[in-house]
Amino acid sequence: MDIKELRQKSSDDLKAHLLELQKEQFSLRMQKATGQLAKTHDARRVRREIARVNTLLGAKQ
């Protein structure tokens, strides 16, 4: 998701999105551990998006 779209979301929406991203990150880690992860760049994308959401949540407080 683009940073502009994230900035337009409320804090509650960002927290919900963060929870969704963390679930996705867990799923990707399990796929990597079992050798089923085909798109290795997805792990990096999710990790960076989690950092973006955390940064915006800190700025909104």
Side-chain angles (χ1 to χ4, degrees):
M1 187 173 290
D2 193 35
I3 190 71
K4 292 179 182 179
E5 295 172 10
L6 289 174
R7 283 191 179 130
Q8 294 172 354
K9 290 188 172 192
S10 67
S11 292
D12 291 334
D13 290 339
L14 286 174
K15 288 177 185 177
H17 187 60
L18 180 62
L19 185 61
E20 182 181 315
L21 287 170
Q22 288 172 339
K23 288 179 183 178
E24 184 178 355
Q25 184 181 33
F26 178 78
S27 174
L28 290 171
R29 272 190 313 204
M30 292 301 111
Q31 288 177 16
K32 182 179 179 186
T34 59
Q36 298 173 351
L37 185 61
K39 299 179 182 176
T40 56
H41 64 277
D42 281 342
R44 182 177 181 184
R45 177 190 54 82
V46 170
R47 190 174 65 241
R48 287 183 175 199
E49 193 163 342
I50 287 173
R52 285 187 190 107
V53 171
N54 281 330
T55 300
L56 288 174
L57 281 172
K60 286 188 183 242
Q61 289 181 354

